[in-house]
Amino acid sequence: MLEFEICPLISYLLPQVLVMTCHIFLHVLRSQTLPLSKINLVVFDDCHLAITEHPYCDIMKLFEECTFGPRILGLTASILNGKCDPSELEQKIQNLERMLKSNAETATDLVVLD
């Protein structure tokens, strides 16, 4: 009986990493299988998709309902998916920051795009 009582405690204390597609993550959140309040970090790969019609937008809408939501790390190699007028770059990055409730960090200053 004691072993049964300790096992949930041990699994709760151990770090856990769940990897899934954005579609599955959205389903898990909507079904309340795993509440946002129990998540510490969400990593979005290809986060530039969040400024388009994408499940990332729906996931972020669920964050608005959570008082203490997880931290967000968005990763992208092509922040603007290849085609962007340099004059629109700052606005698109600000849109991405607003959507992901995060701050964008780049390797270099955004001064010149060729």
Side-chain angles (χ1 to χ4, degrees), residues 25 42-47 56 59-60 63 72-75 100:
F25 185 49
V42 174
V43 179
F44 290 114
D45 191 25
D46 293 329
C47 69
Y56 288 164
I59 291 168
M60 291 309 300
F63 276 58
I72 301 165
L73 173 62
L75 305 172
L100 295 179

Side-chain angles (χ1 to χ4, degrees), residues 10-61:
I10 291 174
S11 67
Y12 176 76
L13 295 175
L14 293 176
Q16 298 178 10
V17 176
L18 304 173
V19 179
M20 62 193 81
T21 66
C22 56
H23 299 282
I24 293 173
F25 185 49
L26 183 58
H27 174 73
V28 165
L29 294 176
R30 284 183 174 161
S31 66
Q32 297 183 350
T33 304
L34 179 63
L36 274 173
S37 61
K38 299 291 183 189
I39 300 172
N40 293 319
L41 174 68
V42 174
V43 179
F44 290 114
D45 191 25
D46 293 329
C47 69
H48 60 274
L49 297 173
I51 57 175
T52 64
E53 290 295 321
H54 193 271
Y56 288 164
C57 298
D58 297 325
I59 291 168
M60 291 309 300
K61 287 177 187 171

